């Protein structure tokens, strides 16, 4: 009932009500004629990122260097990710992710390895479909199961303080760098097709193929050179996590005629178990290269623990690298880092790392993918130590 001073005569209200009903009917007819007869599913797009900066002091057998860097506990990055519910196959979605790395100390692109300087989204750029029944299949530039086997079990997430990190990049004997520096590293690959199964009572199966699409020295395209094929399986249930991976890379002849031919095969196994008071982890990797002229075979093992302490976590690691191609090229390394969360999004960390090398080894302490370039070790056989302090914030 309208208030008294807003009431109208019955005849006037009747005419007005009839006009409103007619206009409403016309509006409904018009909308029915212009809107397709489908129901649009829910979709979402989010912007996210992380900024990480740290200060370090590096001692290279008496040569001391210091500086402010980016990416101590994680590479700095920003990105866009989204999903759309398709209403098909029992909850299927279209999914995508675009992610770019940068250096927080100078604002430039993260200069990772071969060819990344010209990419807008060099960390990830993919589009795919996800279903509770069939898992996920996606296409683009994506992480390899080879990398995930380390990253998902390492106590520091493959970053500064991880004892094995000096052996990740770069060069023919590197665990993540790949044998051919004219190609991309083994962390991510272009033109990749990735499939992950749904959770099968704790098991997830992964299949990965990346097409090199490289140009031969004669200008023709190769359908095999640079291709990567990678399978992985992990088991995660309760406190136990186990993952294995086998990666095959067909090197062929690079665009710069870097090497004649051949392939490399990498085998990995990792595991962790959360006892509550501490969480130990182990990672093992073995590389078998067909051509030992350039490609170097190796064996790498790392053990680590992450332990709740003083409101934060103390992460400790120790690693041994055995070069099976070159003599006196082995290395030992140790790392310790304490992470403390100031809030849900902001963390501070402090730590130290030490590297002991045989006479022909020349590795360097580094923070990991998409971080500032490391202090290069000035001569083979030098022992290196580094202390660091940093802060990171996610958004």
């Amino acid at each position: 009932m309208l208030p008294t001073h807003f009431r109208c005569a019955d005849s006037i209200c009747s005419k007005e009500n009839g006009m409103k009903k007619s206009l409403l009917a016309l509006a409904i007819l018009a909308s029915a004629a212009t809107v397709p007869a489908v129901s649009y599913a829910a979709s979402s797009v989010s912007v996210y990122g992380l900024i990480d900066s740290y200060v370090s002091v590096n001692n290279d057998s008496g040569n001391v260097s210091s500086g402010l860097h980016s990416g101590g506990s994680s590479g700095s990055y920003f990105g866009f990710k989204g999903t759309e519910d398709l209403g098909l196959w029992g909850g299927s979605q279209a999914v995508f992710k675009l992610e770019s790395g940068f250096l927080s100390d100078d604002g430039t692109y993260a200069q990772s390895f071969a060819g990344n300087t010209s990419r807008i989204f060099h960390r990830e750029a993919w589009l795919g479909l996800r279903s509770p029944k069939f898992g996920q299949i996606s296409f683009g530039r994506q992480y390899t199961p080879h990398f995930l086997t380390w990253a998902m079990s390492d106590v520091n997430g493959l970053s500064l303080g991880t004892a094995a990190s000096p052996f990740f990049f770069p060069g023919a004997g590197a665990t993540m760098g790949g044998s051919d520096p004219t190609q991309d590293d083994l962390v991510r690959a272009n033109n990749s097709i990735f499939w992950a199964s749904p959770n099968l009572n704790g098991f997830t199966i992964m299949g990965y193929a990346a097409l090199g699409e490289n140009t031969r020295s004669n200008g023709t395209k190769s359908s095999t050179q640079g291709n990567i094929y990678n399978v992985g399986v992990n088991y995660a249930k309760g406190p136990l996590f186990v993952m294995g991976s086998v990666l095959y890379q067909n090197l062929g002849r690079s665009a710069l005629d870097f090497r004649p031919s051949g392939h490399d095969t990498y085998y990995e196994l990792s595991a962790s178990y959360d006892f509550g008071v501490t969480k130990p982890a182990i990672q093992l990797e073995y590389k078998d290269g067909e051509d030992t002229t350039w490609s170097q075979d190796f064996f790498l093992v790392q053990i680590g623990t992450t332990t709740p302490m003083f409101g934060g976590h103390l992460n400790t690691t120790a690693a041994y690298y055995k070069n099976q191609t070159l003599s006196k090229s082995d290395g030992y390394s140790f790392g310790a880092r304490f992470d403390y969360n100031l809030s849900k999004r902001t963390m501070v960390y402090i730590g130290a790392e030490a590297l002991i090398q045989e006479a022909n080894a020349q590795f360097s302490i580094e923070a990991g993918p998409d971080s500032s370039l490391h202090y290069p070790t000035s001569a083979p056989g030098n022992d290196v130590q580094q202390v660091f302090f940093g802060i990171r914030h996610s958004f």
Side-chain angles (χ1 to χ4, degrees), residues 153 155 239 271-276 278-283 303-307:
S153 59
V155 298
S272 64
Y273 192 92
D274 192 350
F275 289 97
T278 190
K279 182 180 179 181
I282 185 170
Q283 294 85 22
I303 56 173
T305 60
T306 179
T307 306

Side-chain angles (χ1 to χ4, degrees), residues 287-312:
K287 176 187 175 185
D288 180 17
E290 180 185 21
D291 183 355
T292 58
T293 303
W294 167 255
S295 178
Q296 298 172 19
D297 295 348
F298 63 81
F299 173 76
L300 174 65
V301 58
Q302 176 183 276
I303 56 173
T305 60
T306 179
T307 306
M309 187 179 296
F310 305 121

Side-chain angles (χ1 to χ4, degrees), residues 47 94 115 192 234 250 293 351-352:
V47 180
S192 66
N234 72 41
N250 183 9
T293 303

Side-chain angles (χ1 to χ4, degrees), residues 38-54:
V38 297
S39 58
Y40 288 97
S43 63
S44 66
V45 177
S46 60
V47 180
Y48 66 95
L50 184 148
I51 305 173
D52 185 301
S53 296
Y54 72 99

